[in-house]
Amino acid sequence: MQMSTEKEALPREDRVAAMLLQYEVERFYYDEAALLDAHRYEEWLALFSDDARYFMPIRRTRTQRELDKEFTRPGEMAFFDDTKQLLEGRVAKLKSGRAWAEDPPSRTRHLITNVRVVNDDGRTLEVESNFHLYRTRLNSEETSWIGSRRDVLRRAGGSFQIADRRIFLEQTVLLARNLSNFF
């Protein structure tokens, strides 16, 4: 089922199905955010397929005619270019108590908004969303990251699994002391 940004007169059954799908996707993202904010990282990892990719390119300021080069591409320098196995390693380090950047742990709030299912082929969904990740740490350290995500979700056991996540920050210069949180 191809989703369209144009307003089309859909039959009632299709509108109800689209509303239900939208609800299920949003609920999936809200549950994911709650897991991250509660530091339930192993449960969060279970939301990813075994072949998942988690990619956050570096954003560069470019002129109007060079906007196609604004973000680095896979294989180039990136903040994250992780497989599920690498994510598991990051989680293991957090749990070990030896992750100095997260001891004591950050307090976070993941706010997810503007969730849009842009394509549904019956097996996978392409979903775009916006986020605001607020982090506070120690007594006075505060950081905010704002951006968008492009995910490929696979249907799995009555829910979804994240097969691919692309994270695009609005910032070109990160002022945070570290980048130890998940998006």
Side-chain angles (χ1 to χ4, degrees):
M1 172 171 103
Q2 181 78 19
M3 305 304 272
S4 175
T5 56
E6 298 176 8
K7 291 191 174 194
E8 297 175 13
L10 294 174
R12 186 176 198 291
E13 304 82 35
D14 290 346
R15 286 185 307 211
V16 171
M19 287 174 22
L20 180 59
L21 178 62
Q22 180 73 25
Y23 170 79
E24 290 171 344
V25 170
E26 287 179 10
R27 181 64 187 253
F28 176 80
Y29 283 138
Y30 299 154
D31 290 345
E32 177 196 11
L35 290 174
L36 288 170
D37 292 339
H39 306 282
R40 293 166 51 190
Y41 300 122
E42 288 176 330
E43 291 174 68
W44 175 73
L45 278 173
L47 301 178
F48 286 82
S49 65
D50 289 338
D51 63 341
R53 184 168 196 183
Y54 183 90
F55 181 72
M56 181 190 285
I58 295 171
R59 182 178 214 148
R60 303 168 292 204
T61 302
R62 296 289 189 197
T63 61
Q64 183 72 30
R65 68 179 177 275
E66 295 181 313
L67 284 181
D68 62 321
K69 298 175 186 163
E70 183 176 20
F71 291 100
T72 57
R73 291 178 169 67
E76 298 177 344
M77 184 78 76
F79 290 118
F80 300 113
D81 192 357
D82 296 348
T83 61
K84 184 174 183 179
Q85 185 177 10
L86 287 171
L87 290 173
E88 289 168 344
R90 289 179 58 199
V91 167
K93 185 174 181 179
L94 286 173
K95 290 186 62 162
S96 74
R98 295 192 174 123
W100 64 267
E102 284 299 316
D103 191 20
S106 296
R107 295 169 298 278
T108 62
R109 284 295 162 250
H110 289 75
L111 307 175
I112 309 301
T113 186
N114 296 42
V115 176
R116 294 179 49 241
V117 177
V118 294
N119 190 35
D120 178 357
D121 69 9
R123 184 174 169 266
T124 61
L125 306 173
E126 293 176 24
V127 182
E128 295 178 354
S129 63
N130 294 338
F131 69 87
H132 180 181
L133 171 50
Y134 172 79
R135 176 180 75 176
T136 182
R137 199 168 167 273
L138 303 172
N139 292 329
S140 61
E141 191 177 317
E142 288 186 50
T143 309
S144 281
W145 292 279
I146 296 171
S148 62
R149 300 185 309 193
R150 294 182 197 142
D151 291 340
V152 174
L153 302 180
R154 287 190 192 131
R155 288 182 165 83
S159 186
F160 304 104
Q161 280 195 314
I162 302 166
D164 188 77
R165 171 160 289 166
R166 308 284 168 128
I167 305 149
F168 301 94
L169 293 176
E170 292 303 317
Q171 296 96 322
T172 54
V173 176
L174 300 186
L175 302 176
R177 294 185 179 167
N178 61 53
L179 198 55
S180 59
N181 297 99
F182 298 107
F183 296 82

